[in-house]
Amino acid sequence: MSEADDFRRLHHGRLPGDPLVLPGPWDAASARVFAEAGFPALATPSAGVAASLGYADGQTPADEMFAAVARIVRAVDVPVSADVEDGYGLAPKELVERLLETGAVGCNLEDSVGGVLKDPREHAEWLARVRAEAGGLLFVNARVDVFEYGDDAGDPERAVERAIERAALYVAAGADCVYPIGAPTRLLPLLRSGIQGPVNVGGRVDGEGPSPAGLGELGATRVTFGPGLQRRAAAALREISAGLA
């Protein structure tokens, strides 16, 4: 069994109210904090890593992102999944090779680029090639961006239909999990009922919205936090620094 298989098993057999909670480290130090806190696995946020490297979200060069992921992986003894945005235009073979070189056991892949949704069937074919190159060595979390960028973004109920359609294509292509980012909390039960397999939901760290357990009750298999933890840490540091003057 590979480390990716161990990570994959963490997503199955979960009870409602007990989702897999994956904090998002942005560097080696934060990764160690989360691992020492007892979390069984971690999931890097591309925006958080970008901030730690001095880039705006979506502007990190691929080489620097892979290097940052490798440093995070080396710092901890738990599985790490990497958010590699839309794949940086890399061919599936090279993308998989570079991910495996970092030691990551999974990846988050978006179905939009530059704020524009990709054709879902073409994206599904690309995901299938990624999965074929990786075999069972990478857990593929397919992000669904219709609530962020789709024509139906202003009509959440219609966006649910689009999200379920895309999710079905991605699961058929071999995705292990789907992530309908930005979906309104009230619509999570509808998404859960229409999507086969694990569902990733974004949690908040500001006390607003449901807790991870509450998101699990609504249908989340796993909960990630995007750059929320990095941004909260930065806010705490600003508060500390203000008291140093």
Side-chain angles (χ1 to χ4, degrees):
M1 288 290 183
S2 68
E3 197 173 15
D5 289 324
D6 293 337
F7 183 63
R8 197 168 279 114
R9 282 196 295 273
L10 290 173
H11 293 74
H12 293 280
R14 307 203 71 89
L15 298 174
D18 182 35
L20 176 62
V21 178
L22 299 176
W26 54 94
D27 59 13
S30 60
R32 288 195 183 105
V33 169
F34 297 138
E36 289 168 1
F39 291 98
L42 307 174
T44 69
S46 61
V49 173
S52 76
L53 296 174
Y55 293 102
D57 185 18
Q59 299 301 310
T60 309
D63 287 350
E64 293 197 46
M65 182 63 75
F66 287 118
V69 170
R71 288 191 293 272
I72 289 169
V73 172
R74 286 197 301 268
V76 296
D77 293 324
V78 298
V80 176
S81 182
D83 182 350
V84 288
E85 304 179 88
D86 66 346
Y88 306 111
L90 299 174
K93 186 175 189 298
E94 183 178 359
L95 176 62
V96 168
E97 288 174 348
R98 298 197 67 175
L99 278 164
L100 293 177
E101 285 172 358
T102 70
V105 301
C107 57
N108 188 76
L109 294 168
E110 303 168 3
D111 67 350
S112 66
V113 58
V116 178
L117 287 174
K118 298 180 181 179
D119 178 271
R121 286 173 176 76
E122 291 179 1
H123 186 62
E125 291 173 1
W126 182 78
L127 287 174
R129 293 197 297 274
V130 170
R131 187 55 190 265
E133 293 289 347
L137 297 180
L138 284 175
F139 181 100
V140 177
N141 185 40
R143 207 176 87 173
V144 179
D145 287 357
V146 295
F147 292 97
E148 297 284 301
Y149 306 122
D151 292 338
D152 299 310
D155 182 354
E157 282 75 12
R158 182 61 175 161
V160 166
E161 297 178 23
R162 293 286 183 251
I164 290 173
E165 290 169 0
R166 285 176 175 258
L169 289 170
Y170 304 162
V171 170
D176 295 283
C177 183
V178 294
Y179 179 15
I181 188 171
T185 301
R186 64 184 176 83
L187 297 179
L188 292 180
L190 283 177
L191 288 164
R192 171 68 281 173
S193 67
I195 294 175
Q196 297 297 312
V199 176
N200 190 138
V201 174
R204 298 182 64 163
V205 297
D206 58 3
E208 298 292 329
S211 66
L215 292 173
E217 292 283 359
L218 292 170
T221 307
R222 79 180 207 177
V223 177
T224 55
F225 303 92
L229 289 159
Q230 181 272 326
R231 290 172 180 171
R232 183 163 181 180
L237 192 57
R238 282 193 291 271
E239 184 176 331
I240 292 169
S241 64
L244 300 178

